[in-house]
Amino acid sequence: MTKKKYVKSQLNLNNMGTRSLTRIIPRQEGLAYDKAHEKPELALVNIYQQYDGYPEYMAVEYAKWLEVISIGNGISGNPELNKYANGVGCFAAQFIKHFKDRPGGLYLSPIDDDYGWADYVYTLFPKEGEETYMSVYDVLLDLVIFVGKPDAVLKKYNKKELV
């Protein structure tokens, strides 16, 4: 076991909050999913999560939400909240509304906020008419541990529903 893994295990054993940042960066040509954590200036929002930021919870919750929302351009009829977003800005606003369910826990943070104190950095890559990709950067390991679509997140991290 490497020192970094040992330190991470100790943090989890001590029941400390697993802090994370989530950035929503519209998908764009030339931006590698595994390098986006280094490009906060491209984010529409930078969201700080005080606790439960580990992938087995946070990535799974994000993936469940991402599986049911689509992103388009324009509104017709009466689209349902959390099922349809009118562009990536609407997607980002709905994301915050969905995951901010009480005082505390989730905060908006400056776009250029450094992630040195967070355990994970999640980056969501929405695009009109396509599924949203997600990357997960493990700060302590200094490694991107996941890149993919919501179904792949659930296959990798949703251990509760497999039991």
Side-chain angles (χ1 to χ4, degrees):
M1 181 180 274
T2 68
K3 182 162 180 61
K4 286 185 178 181
K5 286 184 181 178
Y6 173 76
V7 170
K8 188 173 181 179
S9 296
Q10 288 303 104
L11 287 174
N12 290 337
L13 287 174
N14 292 331
N15 294 320
M16 295 177 71
T18 304
R19 298 172 295 189
S20 65
L21 288 175
T22 300
R23 296 176 177 152
I24 297 176
I25 299 178
R27 197 171 333 155
Q28 53 203 270
E29 195 69 33
L31 177 62
Y33 296 137
D34 64 343
K35 300 293 183 196
H37 63 279
E38 299 170 355
K39 301 283 187 183
E41 68 276 6
L42 299 176
L44 295 175
V45 294
N46 192 28
I47 303 160
Y48 167 61
Q49 183 74 29
Q50 179 73 36
Y51 51 86
D52 290 339
Y54 51 93
E56 293 79 8
Y57 178 75
M58 192 57 55
V60 169
E61 291 303 307
Y62 288 174
K64 288 176 182 177
W65 185 76
L66 291 171
E67 280 195 320
V68 298
I69 192 164
S70 64
I71 305 168
N73 182 3
I75 298 175
S76 63
N78 191 15
E80 192 175 332
L81 186 66
N82 291 312
K83 300 247 184 204
Y84 178 78
N86 185 25
V88 295
C90 182
F91 171 91
Q94 287 190 56
F95 180 89
I96 293 166
K97 181 179 182 349
H98 181 77
F99 288 100
K100 179 67 174 173
D101 60 355
R102 64 186 168 279
L106 184 144
Y107 304 87
L108 293 179
S109 190
I111 293 297
D112 62 351
D113 199 358
D114 188 357
Y115 53 76
W117 45 265
D119 296 294
Y120 297 95
V121 178
Y122 295 89
T123 308
L124 305 180
F125 303 93
K127 184 175 182 179
E128 289 177 18
E130 296 187 26
E131 279 189 274
T132 298
Y133 280 78
M134 180 191 313
S135 70
V136 182
Y137 171 68
D138 186 315
V139 175
L140 293 173
L141 295 178
D142 189 26
L143 181 68
V144 173
I145 58 172
F146 178 83
V147 173
K149 294 180 182 179
D151 62 334
V153 170
L154 295 173
K155 285 178 188 165
K156 182 171 183 175
Y157 293 112
N158 196 10
K159 306 302 182 198
K160 286 184 197 174
E161 293 190 12
L162 296 177
V163 177

